[in-house]
Amino acid sequence: MKKFDRTSVIGMLLMGLIIIYIMYTRPTPEEIEAREEAKKEQVQEAQTQETPAVATQEFTNTVAPTDSIGRSQLQNRLGAFAYSGTLPTARDGVTVVKNDVLELEVSNKGGHIVKATLLQHKTYDSIPVYLIKDGNSQFNISFNTTDNRNLNTKDLFFEPVLSKNGDNEVLTMRLKVSSTEFLEYRYELKQGDYMLDFGLKSQGLSRVFNTSQPMRLQWDFKGMRHAKSIKYENRYTRLTYEYEDGKTDKLSQMGEDDEIRKDLSWMNYRQHFFSSMLLTDTPFKEAKLTSTDLFKIAEDADQETEFTKEYKADLLLEPKNGELNYAMNMYYGPTDYKILKEYDRNLDEAMPLGWGIFGFLNKYLVIPFFGFLTGFLPAGIAIILMTISIKLLLSPVQYKQYVSQAKMKVLKPEIAAIGEKYKDNAMKKQQETMALYSKAGASPAAGCLPAFLQIPVFYALFTFFPSAFDLRGKSFLWAEDLSSYDAIFSWDFNIPIISSFYGNHISLFPILAAVTIFFSMRLTTGNQAMQQPTQEGMPDMGKMMKYMMYFSPLLMLFFFNNYASGLSLYYFISNLITIGIILVIKKYIIDEEKIKAKIEVKKAKPKKQGRFQKKMAEIMEQAEKQKNAKGK
């Protein structure tokens, strides 16, 4: 039999007493609930009454509002804005705002747009067009507080509230100090519109903002690739802006460039056919804009990149009575002249349509006419019809040019005779040649003037086709996209030097354009070169024109291989029509015998010299006398 264990009995008695004590002293469920409610009321009361705490350290890292971080720790890091870190809704996440053309994702962290998708457009490889994605855009307000902190909104958490304003979706993002003190971003997206209203304001933060230090709005952005040829796309990717009440300008197309401007009213991070814009009703007093060519940097380093250019904007904000209040707009959509023009805010100046007369022709003639044609015709057929119309419109000018060439051809034997007669007297030869031109009513410049008049049209179309949004994604014959090159053969390896200029493919429309431009120049410039007299001491125009006849097709062949196939199609059709017009004029319209007879009639009539011609004749005679006197 076991011995009685007094120690075990005492232990069991103590355990029983402890159990009895816990059972009788533990609060009931109702008491627990009442205590929790009391605690919540105390916390809410403390939050509404607290003032910004003085920090002993600057905010240097992102604070995730988790339960493991206490209230005092948040205050030490964020000061007054620690309130936003304790809200149940102020956590990492995104809110979607969309209409039928645009979808935006707005992040709680930073309160800015982290994804912008154009719902009705695709890239060259058939994926949606993203203007913002994967961190390529950072939108931030940098400011100092009265307790000597420097804070950045991109590191802080906003509270989202999604609502409706009629048919429009409205998203309000608030960075809170308390329930009545906050910094607010307000996004309102209308149906069917790429432009959204964006409001930036603060409430009750005059005690928080240190307005003696500058407050700055910063927007960093990397342009993503959307086109088949990133090199071609990069050529038309550029930062453009408006400042000082209507002036427009742009940063450099290549390399790195920066400008500081006053009173900036809008800026456009243009990515060739797509734009990301910020517009403000209250111009920014000072704006520092920067552009860096990421594609060129990658190309020089022989690396691949999905980005074209990197843009940065640093904009000075001006609080009034210690508060911010800016009414702005954001635009994420096509760089389409028709769309941008409708906003009536000078946004069409963001497009590369040429300056002066060239831009005028594009805006008021080419774009409306081409838009009319594409309203009921495929883009390729519209290009052909527009080309025919332009050539017919310019045919009287070309006719004048060919008549002038015919006159020079008729006079060529007489000009040669004068050259032979006065071969030892250059000045006399010049006098007699000019006298012959005057009597016959002919001039070498008459053939150049019509060609000069065609230059504005030529250059206007050269700038129109690369920026014509209506061509994007439109196919014609073998060209899959008239806004890009029409490769009929491609290769994967690089050929030194050649690949840099020509590319890794062969486009067909530039070849056809080069062939037709050679024959059209041979029919015009070639004949004209043979008829041009060579003056002593002057360059041989015949040789120069002959060189141009071979150089121009080569330039077309290499330079346009990476250009929009729509532009090469235009030149191909234009040159074909030019060849046809020349042949018709020469065969059926211009009669050299009749021209010769008219010249003889003019030569027989006494030619009355004008005051200028008399003066020039006197100057040449005096110069001739001085030369003869020196010879003696």
Side-chain angles (χ1 to χ4, degrees), residues 68 277 419 459 555 595:
S68 61
M277 297 188 187
Y459 186 76
L555 184 66
I595 291 175

Side-chain angles (χ1 to χ4, degrees), residues 234-463:
N234 188 57
R235 185 180 291 122
Y236 292 95
T237 297
R238 204 166 186 179
L239 195 161
T240 58
Y241 55 92
E242 183 185 73
Y243 67 108
E244 293 181 2
D245 196 25
K247 296 180 182 177
T248 56
D249 206 346
K250 55 188 75 67
L251 295 189
S252 176
Q253 190 175 11
M254 300 176 65
E256 187 169 344
D257 192 18
D258 61 83
E259 289 284 355
I260 296 178
R261 294 297 189 187
K262 303 294 184 183
D263 299 325
L264 187 86
S265 50
W266 60 255
M267 59 182 181
N268 179 16
Y269 291 167
R270 192 180 77 214
Q271 300 167 253
H272 194 185
F273 284 123
F274 300 99
S275 290
S276 303
M277 297 188 187
L278 179 66
L279 308 90
T280 177
D281 294 343
T282 305
F284 299 111
K285 184 177 180 180
E286 180 184 276
K288 182 178 181 181
L289 307 174
T290 305
S291 174
T292 303
D293 194 339
L294 299 179
F295 170 75
K296 183 61 177 174
I297 293 172
E299 186 181 41
D300 291 343
D302 196 22
Q303 297 174 346
E304 294 290 332
T305 180
E306 287 299 312
F307 298 107
T308 51
K309 293 199 171 64
E310 181 178 21
Y311 302 127
K312 293 179 182 290
D314 193 331
L315 313 169
L316 181 64
L317 296 175
E318 295 181 285
K320 293 185 178 179
N321 300 320
E323 301 287 357
L324 293 173
N325 192 1
Y326 280 83
M328 295 186 277
N329 296 93
M330 291 179 171
Y331 177 88
Y332 297 100
T335 313
D336 187 338
Y337 177 82
K338 296 187 295 294
I339 295 176
L340 298 180
K341 186 69 175 176
E342 287 178 357
Y343 292 111
D344 196 26
R345 298 183 68 170
N346 208 28
L347 301 183
D348 52 289
E349 292 298 325
M351 297 192 62
L353 296 175
W355 52 271
I357 184 64
F358 313 118
F360 178 86
L361 289 174
N362 275 327
K363 291 178 181 180
Y364 300 105
L365 293 176
V366 178
I367 291 176
F369 184 51
F370 189 71
F372 167 73
L373 293 176
T374 53
F376 60 92
L377 290 172
I381 302 298
I383 291 175
I384 293 174
L385 283 182
M386 185 174 74
T387 307
I388 294 172
S389 301
I390 291 172
K391 295 303 291 186
L392 290 175
L393 188 66
L394 294 174
S395 58
V397 178
Q398 289 186 314
Y399 173 75
K400 295 269 187 186
Q401 181 180 2
Y402 302 142
V403 169
S404 175
Q405 289 179 7
K407 287 181 178 181
M408 294 299 297
K409 185 177 180 181
V410 170
L411 293 174
K412 187 179 180 182
E414 295 185 55
I415 294 171
I418 291 173
E420 182 64 28
K421 183 177 181 180
Y422 299 103
K423 61 182 178 181
D424 297 327
N425 192 333
M427 188 166 290
K428 187 65 175 176
K429 181 170 66 174
Q430 179 73 8
Q431 284 179 319
E432 293 298 320
T433 302
M434 296 304 294
L436 177 62
Y437 287 153
S438 180
K439 289 180 181 179
S443 171
C448 299
L449 184 60
F452 180 77
L453 293 175
Q454 296 178 63
I455 290 177
V457 177
F458 173 88
Y459 186 76
L461 292 169
F462 177 79
T463 57

Side-chain angles (χ1 to χ4, degrees), residues 19-33:
I19 291 170
I20 292 170
Y21 176 80
I22 291 173
M23 291 177 62
Y24 282 93
T25 59
R26 186 180 64 179
T28 63
E30 290 77 13
E31 290 175 334
I32 292 173
E33 185 176 350

Side-chain angles (χ1 to χ4, degrees), residues 521-581:
M521 291 187 73
R522 187 167 184 175
L523 288 171
T524 55
T525 309
N527 290 337
Q528 190 175 354
M530 294 172 60
Q531 296 152 15
Q532 287 283 2
T534 302
Q535 304 294 338
E536 188 176 337
M538 298 292 288
D540 191 335
M541 295 300 295
K543 284 186 178 180
M544 290 181 65
M545 289 183 178
K546 190 174 182 180
Y547 290 146
M548 284 296 297
M549 187 169 61
Y550 291 99
F551 178 72
S552 295
L554 287 175
L555 184 66
M556 171 70 70
L557 193 64
F558 281 88
F559 187 69
F560 285 79
N561 191 59
N562 291 295
Y563 257 68
S565 53
L567 180 61
S568 300
L569 170 63
Y570 162 75
Y571 286 130
F572 169 56
I573 300 299
S574 178
N575 292 326
L576 276 180
I577 297 171
T578 298
I579 292 171
I581 290 175

Side-chain angles (χ1 to χ4, degrees), residues 198-216:
F198 175 64
L200 163 62
K201 74 172 186 178
S202 65
Q203 178 177 302
L205 297 187
S206 57
R207 68 186 182 90
V208 177
F209 290 146
N210 181 359
T211 55
S212 65
Q213 298 293 323
M215 300 181 68
R216 310 198 75 90

Side-chain angles (χ1 to χ4, degrees), residues 54-61 73 75-78 147-149:
V54 178
T56 57
Q57 60 181 357
E58 290 186 355
F59 175 76
T60 57
N61 63 321
Q73 290 175 289
Q75 284 183 326
N76 286 337
R77 297 188 186 183
L78 301 179
D147 54 355
N148 300 319
R149 307 168 191 273

